[in-house]
Amino acid sequence: MKKYYPYILAIIVQLQFGGLHVVSEEPISINKTLTSYDFVAYRTLLATILLYITTKIKYGARYKVKFALRTIHLMIFSVVLNQSLVFIGLSQSDSRLSTVMQSMIPVFTFFFSICANKSRPNIQLVVGVFVVFTCALFFDYKRLTSLNEDIIPVVVFMAQTASVSLFFVLQKKFMTEKEGEVEALPLPLSTSTFMSAVPILIAAQYAFGHGFRVEHFRDSSAIVAILYASILSTLISYSLMAYINSKCHPVFLGSTVILQPIFALAFGKIIRDINVPAYKIYLAIGTCVGVVIVAYGNHLQRNKNERSAIKPTEMTVVSSIVEPEKVS
């Protein structure tokens, strides 16, 4: 049963990310209590504090602050580039283009994982990524056809999705190279990644944002959104994503990201009774089928890797038993 934990947890992670879109919409878009930049700043700072406290409680002196220096490359792609490119893109376009470009994440992850690992993926992963990409792309068909964009925001959002994909692949590579060490475990790794981003985040908030103000917390919906994002969407979810990435192919993690708009749409239907066109329901089902195919391909690849890792050991044991001792 344990081997299925990563797949179950991946669904839970994307479910809560879908809920984040609904929870954060009111304080950011409706009440204008927070700008998107303020929201990210508070979320990251609070989550970093919670991550550090949790890690020190669990691992004590075995976790060292200097570990954060070794994850700067992960921080650049997961926090700095990802968030800054989103804001640059939104300043020149809108969320429609961002949602459409999100469908590129499985493709980029697939490409970067091949380049990084120099391994051939099985046919199930290839088919699954194609199905996920196609269904996710046309999930926002009306948004896609209504876009009339310059090349700059398209390139910006494409770079943003590429940074997310590259983060998944580099995180997997980091955990593989330092397997067995404390700094490569999911919780310490997430803590180090966010800790290394704090100085840049604080400087950027005062240089380009609105600074840290008390009035940001006078609205209850803003407090709920920040707590939700800090605890569920960062502390728990980033640690779980690191765990999933340690057990699965990064392409699987990249493919599950596409489930976010589907879950957000489902929550919107349940909570606000929004109208959902039939074609979106069919494409949502197709996307889920694609993710299942990717999961199956990942499962086959894991079994293959486990068998190849066991065989040399078995051969050594057998040879030591069968081969007679040489008489000198």
Side-chain angles (χ1 to χ4, degrees), residues 98-111 129 132-133 136-137 157-158 161-162 165 254 258:
S98 174
T99 305
V100 170
M101 294 305 295
Q102 196 176 41
S103 61
M104 294 294 296
I105 291 178
V107 179
F108 279 129
T109 310
F110 183 82
F111 173 74
V129 167
V132 169
F133 168 68
L137 184 65
F157 279 123
M158 188 171 290
T161 55
S165 302
I258 303 303

Side-chain angles (χ1 to χ4, degrees), residues 8-317:
I8 298 169
L9 291 173
I11 301 299
I12 294 172
V13 167
Q14 300 310 326
L15 267 171
Q16 72 76 29
F17 274 128
L20 176 64
H21 292 291
V22 179
V23 171
S24 62
E25 181 180 359
E26 185 175 340
I28 294 177
S29 302
I30 301 174
N31 292 342
K32 298 292 182 182
T33 306
L34 295 170
T35 65
S36 298
Y37 198 90
D38 296 328
F39 180 73
V40 170
Y42 287 122
R43 164 194 177 178
T44 306
L45 287 174
L46 179 57
T48 303
I49 294 169
L50 295 174
L51 278 165
Y52 180 76
I53 293 171
T54 307
T55 303
K56 290 302 286 186
I57 291 172
K58 185 171 178 61
Y59 296 99
R62 290 191 294 162
Y63 177 77
K64 298 176 176 57
V65 176
K66 67 179 182 181
F67 290 163
L69 298 174
R70 300 171 191 172
T71 59
I72 289 177
H73 63 300
L74 299 179
M75 173 271 294
I76 289 172
F77 291 107
S78 66
V79 182
V80 176
L81 271 182
N82 180 23
Q83 298 298 337
S84 60
L85 289 173
V86 165
F87 293 126
I88 294 171
L90 290 176
S91 67
Q92 302 183 42
S93 180
D94 56 36
S95 60
R96 293 178 303 160
L97 181 60
S98 174
T99 305
V100 170
M101 294 305 295
Q102 196 176 41
S103 61
M104 294 294 296
I105 291 178
V107 179
F108 279 129
T109 310
F110 183 82
F111 173 74
F112 289 139
S113 64
I114 293 176
C115 294
N117 301 318
K118 297 180 173 59
S119 59
R120 292 176 60 187
N122 55 39
I123 188 64
Q124 289 81 6
L125 283 174
V126 176
V127 173
V129 167
F130 176 77
V131 173
V132 169
F133 168 68
T134 305
C135 292
L137 184 65
F138 288 99
F139 183 77
D140 282 297
Y141 173 73
K142 288 188 177 179
R143 290 186 176 190
L144 186 65
T145 53
S146 65
L147 290 175
N148 185 19
E149 300 289 346
D150 295 328
I151 190 65
I152 293 177
V154 173
V155 172
V156 168
F157 279 123
M158 188 171 290
Q160 184 262 330
T161 55
S163 70
V164 174
S165 302
L166 199 52
F167 165 66
F168 291 150
V169 174
L170 291 176
Q171 186 189 61
K172 176 73 173 182
K173 191 175 180 65
F174 183 87
M175 289 188 288
T176 303
E177 291 173 351
K178 296 185 177 293
E179 188 175 2
E181 298 181 31
V182 172
E183 62 181 308
L185 297 175
L187 183 59
L189 181 57
S190 299
T191 303
S192 299
T193 302
F194 277 87
M195 280 185 66
S196 60
V198 167
I200 297 175
L201 195 66
I202 293 174
Q205 178 68 352
Y206 280 106
F208 308 108
H210 298 90
F212 300 98
R213 299 178 180 178
V214 177
E215 54 263 30
H216 289 155
F217 299 95
R218 287 177 182 168
D219 185 72
S220 59
S221 63
I223 296 173
V224 170
I226 291 169
L227 288 174
Y228 184 105
S230 302
I231 298 171
L232 289 177
S233 300
T234 308
L235 170 64
I236 296 175
S237 292
Y238 268 82
S239 299
L240 287 179
M241 284 196 296
Y243 168 76
I244 295 164
N245 211 6
S246 68
K247 301 294 182 182
C248 299
H249 198 289
V251 170
F252 171 71
L253 190 57
S255 297
T256 59
V257 172
I258 303 303
L259 297 175
Q260 285 183 35
I262 295 173
F263 289 142
L265 190 70
F267 285 133
K269 175 65 177 175
I270 295 168
I271 297 172
R272 296 174 185 163
D273 195 27
I274 62 173
N275 183 42
V276 181
Y279 80 91
K280 282 201 171 189
I281 297 175
Y282 296 137
L283 288 171
I285 294 171
T287 304
C288 294
V289 170
V291 172
V292 170
I293 296 172
V294 172
Y296 178 62
N298 173 78
H299 180 70
L300 294 178
Q301 192 129 336
R302 278 181 66 187
N303 290 342
K304 181 181 177 181
N305 293 340
E306 287 172 2
R307 285 195 299 269
S308 63
I310 291 171
K311 281 181 180 179
T313 308
E314 290 178 341
M315 290 175 65
T316 304
V317 173

